[in-house]
Amino acid sequence: GAVVSQHPSWVICKSGTSVKIECRSLDFQATTMFWYRQFPKQSLMLMATSNEGSKATYEQGVEKDKFLINHASLTLSTLTVTSAHPEDSSFYICSASPALTDHQPQHFGDGTRLSIL
Amino acid sequence: AQKITQTQPGMFVQEKEAVTLDCTYDTSDQSYGLFWYKQPSSGEMIFLIYQGSYDEQNATEGRYSLNFQKARKSANLVISASQLGDSAMYFCAMRVKGAQKLVFGQGTRLTINP
C-alpha cells in the first residue's frame, strides 16, 4: 500500500527557533501533498496544499511567511515553522495520494508533535 | 461548500458489541467520495473505508461497514464485534469530484470497555 513517512516525530525547541518537518511518499510519486494542524481533541485543520514545482496554496488565515512549504520533488514536501513561538506548539501531519481520483484515499504520515518552550 | 457533521463527541461501548458512528454531510455536488479514518492516541491517521456517491452497495472492509443513505446524506460507520484496540478517534471525511481537499468532521472518540 501507499506509505507516507513524516520526520521528525517529536520536536522540542526554544522559542525563536525554526523547525523543519519532512513528508515523504515512499512508494509512489505525489504531485500534491497536504499539511494539517491538529489541536488536542480537535479535528484536522488544513493549512496548505503543497504542489510539486510550484507555490503552495495556503488556506485562509494561515501565515505564508510563518509556515514555509517547499515541494521540490515528487516524493518530498517540507514544512518549516519559522521563528516558532509557544502558540505554534501543535500536532502537524501531512498526507499524500498516489492519484487524486475520487476513490483514492489520502495516506497520512505519522505526524509531528511540536513543542516550543 | 462542503460540510461534515459528526454529532457524537464520545461513545462508550462494551467489548464485542457492534457500534455505529454517525456522519452526515452537506454538499450540492452529485459526485463525491466519503472516507472514514481512525486516529489512535499515537496520532497516525488510518484509512478504514471508502464509499462513492454512485456506489449502489454499502462498502464493507472486514469488521467495518458503511451504512450509506444518500437521500438522508448520511454515511454512518458500523464496527462489528468491537475490540479494545478499536478505542480511538474516528473521523468522517468527504471529497467532491475534481477537488483535492478532504473536508473532515469534528470526530468521535470511541472507547471500548472490557
Side-chain angles (χ1 to χ4, degrees), chain A residues 32 34 36 38 41-44 46 49 51 59 91 93 97 99-110 113, chain B residues 31-33 35 37 39 41-45 47 50 89 91 95-102 104-107 109:
Chain A
T32 303
F34 302 90
Y36 297 85
Q38 186 180 29
K41 299 184 180 181
Q42 294 190 21
S43 187
L44 280 70
L46 180 64
T49 302
N51 303 300
E59 296 299 300
F91 184 68
I93 190 166
S97 178
L100 286 172
T101 54
D102 296 341
H103 65 279
Q104 190 69 242
Q106 287 185 21
H107 298 275
F108 287 80
D110 288 345
R113 296 191 189 277
Chain B
S31 182
Y32 50 86
F35 303 82
Y37 286 87
Q39 187 180 40
S41 57
S42 50
E44 71 269 29
M45 293 284 284
F47 165 68
Y50 164 83
M89 281 289 289
F91 291 99
R95 183 173 65 219
V96 299
K97 186 177 179 65
Q100 294 180 321
K101 304 177 194 179
L102 272 179
F104 283 90
Q106 309 94 310
R109 178 166 295 283

Side-chain angles (χ1 to χ4, degrees), chain B residues 53-108:
Chain B
S53 59
Y54 290 114
D55 293 343
E56 294 185 350
Q57 291 190 334
N58 287 339
T60 61
E61 284 289 346
R63 292 188 299 113
Y64 304 109
S65 61
L66 208 151
N67 184 359
F68 181 47
Q69 298 188 39
K70 193 170 181 178
R72 295 185 178 184
K73 293 190 175 180
S74 73
N76 298 339
L77 176 70
V78 180
I79 305 174
S80 63
S82 59
Q83 302 171 355
L84 296 179
D86 294 332
S87 294
M89 281 289 289
Y90 288 81
F91 291 99
C92 179
M94 176 173 63
R95 183 173 65 219
V96 299
K97 186 177 179 65
Q100 294 180 321
K101 304 177 194 179
L102 272 179
V103 176
F104 283 90
Q106 309 94 310
T108 295

Side-chain angles (χ1 to χ4, degrees), chain A residues 35-75:
Chain A
W35 286 98
Y36 297 85
R37 182 174 182 176
Q38 186 180 29
F39 292 104
K41 299 184 180 181
Q42 294 190 21
S43 187
L44 280 70
M45 181 189 76
L46 180 64
M47 299 175 66
T49 302
S50 173
N51 303 300
E52 188 269 335
S54 64
K55 291 182 179 180
T57 304
Y58 289 82
E59 296 299 300
Q60 191 173 7
V62 178
E63 299 176 58
K64 301 178 183 180
D65 296 332
K66 178 72 170 178
F67 300 100
L68 299 180
I69 291 173
N70 184 282
H71 195 153
S73 78
L74 287 171
T75 59

